[in-house]
Amino acid sequence: MTDCLFCKIVSGDVPAEIVRESAGALAFRDINPQAPTHVLVIPRDHRPTVAELAASDPGLLAEVVREAHQVAVDEGIAETGYRVVFNTGPQAGQTVFHVHAHVLGGRGLNWPPG
Ligand code: AMP
Ligand code: ZN
């Protein structure tokens, strides 16, 4: 998708601090971090939401979640705990409609979230 910010990160047209790459997924630091670790994991292929990814390519969704865990391992927060969030839809705060898992950790995280 030519007009998608995260597709442009995949293609290299927009720079990002990439922390992990796999065959189907890419992980990079959020530009506006909300926790000491705040990394986004995306499929290389454009899918608007996690629901559409689950329906069209569940194996790729599994790869995104595996990569999210590997980010936590790499960042040293897998044992202390971390959160994986897929904001879905405007009322949940989704602003970029290329599915992304937020990996958050490195501090205590409130529950329920705001
Ligand atoms: P969401 O609000 O769930 O759609 O999340 C979008 C996330 O993308 C936000 O946390 C933004 O800070 C982040 N973001 C926006 N532009 C960039 C960028 N160029 N590089 C890295 N993260 C970005
Ligand atoms: Zn895209």
Side-chain angles (χ1 to χ4, degrees), residues 5-6 9 14-17 28-35 38-40 95-96 102:
L5 173 63
F6 287 176
I9 288 178
V14 169
E17 190 182 339
F28 54 91
R29 293 199 190 281
D30 196 292
I31 205 167
N32 182 24
Q34 303 301 313
H38 188 173
V39 170
L40 303 177
T95 58
V96 179
H102 293 259

Side-chain angles (χ1 to χ4, degrees), residues 1-66:
M1 253 208 186
T2 50
D3 212 24
C4 170
L5 173 63
F6 287 176
C7 282
K8 288 179 184 161
I9 288 178
V10 172
S11 67
D13 292 324
V14 169
E17 190 182 339
I18 292 168
V19 296
R20 286 190 67 84
E21 294 194 65
S22 66
L26 195 64
F28 54 91
R29 293 199 190 281
D30 196 292
I31 205 167
N32 182 24
Q34 303 301 313
T37 291
H38 188 173
V39 170
L40 303 177
V41 185
I42 65 172
R44 292 179 188 273
D45 291 347
H46 183 89
R47 299 290 196 296
T49 67
V50 68
E52 277 157 291
L53 180 59
S56 65
D57 197 339
L60 185 54
L61 174 57
E63 184 174 343
V64 168
V65 174
R66 271 199 309 276

Side-chain angles (χ1 to χ4, degrees), residues 78-101:
E79 299 297 325
T80 48
Y82 62 96
R83 190 168 291 163
V84 179
V85 176
F86 292 96
N87 292 329
T88 305
Q91 202 164 32
Q94 186 175 8
T95 58
V96 179
F97 284 81
H98 180 134
V99 59
H100 47 282

